[in-house]
Amino acid sequence: MSIYNKINAGFSLGTNGPITSGIEDVVYIFNQDDMVLTYDVANPLIITDLTPVATAKVYKFEGTNNSFNTMSKLAKTQVGPRYTEEIDFNIAGLSTDVKAQLMAMGYGRVRAIAVNNYKDSDSAVELFGAVNGLIVTEAERNAADETLDGGYKIKLTNPDKLKEPYPPRAVSIAPESGAATYASTIAALEALVAV
């Protein structure tokens, strides 16, 4: 009996670019149906382009002091491995606009892109919720919480019983000419951000 996927490479820890934990204090979020994802033909773990549907945009959420975090966790199921994906972040604000965005992320599905602090890999930029999207599963506000000055703690994760079939996808978008780089990927994302 052959297995679907087989190990085909090894890795070693690099002394020139040691692994660095955490993500940058920015996350890009867009409605699940607003962007068409293009995957690398040879590797479904790499997204090579985001194409907006009509005039759709990406929304940029910025934080400070390591206020954002991502998590991906393997779960074995009867049909194979599945991944739970989560993004935690804080919103330093309390307005009806903030509340409307929270409601939209709780009812509709979104996808989110995080930028890792570790840049020495082809997964410096990762997309969460590629197949099933993400929804707000926790939105907590404690008015007396001095660490957030009364803002919201948000958790985006997969909808119930809809884990992802792959770990978070790498986002690697090439410029008009040349190979994809970290800089070209960030530039492509920034070009899609709503102003």
Side-chain angles (χ1 to χ4, degrees):
M1 173 186 220
S2 68
I3 57 175
Y4 175 67
N5 287 322
K6 294 184 179 181
I7 189 167
N8 62 9
F11 67 90
S12 60
L13 297 176
T15 56
N16 293 336
I19 189 84
T20 306
S21 66
I23 67 170
E24 290 187 5
D25 287 321
V26 63
V27 65
Y28 299 90
I29 298 176
F30 54 93
N31 295 308
Q32 183 178 19
D33 298 331
D34 281 357
M35 295 285 159
V36 176
L37 307 178
T38 303
Y39 295 94
D40 185 303
V41 175
N43 187 344
L45 293 175
I46 301 173
I47 294 169
T48 58
D49 198 20
L50 298 170
T51 306
V53 174
T55 59
K57 293 291 183 186
V58 170
Y59 301 94
K60 185 176 181 178
F61 292 76
E62 294 179 278
T64 58
N65 299 324
N66 300 313
S67 58
F68 291 31
N69 188 36
T70 60
M71 190 274 300
S72 174
K73 184 177 179 183
L74 173 71
K76 297 293 274 182
T77 70
Q78 292 178 345
V79 295
R82 296 292 183 262
Y83 297 84
T84 299
E85 297 177 352
E86 292 180 1
I87 295 185
D88 299 316
F89 62 102
N90 303 325
I91 295 178
L94 179 63
S95 68
T96 54
D97 287 342
V98 167
K99 292 175 183 178
Q101 294 305 316
L102 294 178
M103 289 178 61
M105 287 188 272
Y107 288 109
R109 292 188 192 177
V110 298
R111 292 177 172 144
I113 296 175
V115 180
N116 290 304
N117 287 337
Y118 181 62
K119 306 286 191 286
D120 288 342
S121 82
D122 58 2
S123 287
V125 181
E126 293 182 301
L127 182 134
F128 291 74
V131 175
N132 296 312
L134 305 170
I135 60 171
V136 167
T137 54
E138 293 180 24
E140 177 184 343
R141 176 181 181 266
N142 180 342
D145 184 351
E146 293 178 5
T147 59
L148 295 180
D149 286 332
Y152 278 95
K153 286 181 167 181
I154 308 300
K155 179 179 284 186
L156 291 172
T157 191
N158 309 108
D160 287 342
K161 300 182 182 181
L162 290 176
K163 294 178 176 28
E164 292 290 316
Y166 294 97
R169 312 295 178 100
V171 180
S172 185
I173 303 172
E176 287 187 27
S177 63
T181 63
Y182 170 77
S184 68
T185 300
I186 296 300
L189 288 174
E190 288 292 329
L192 295 170
V193 170
V195 289

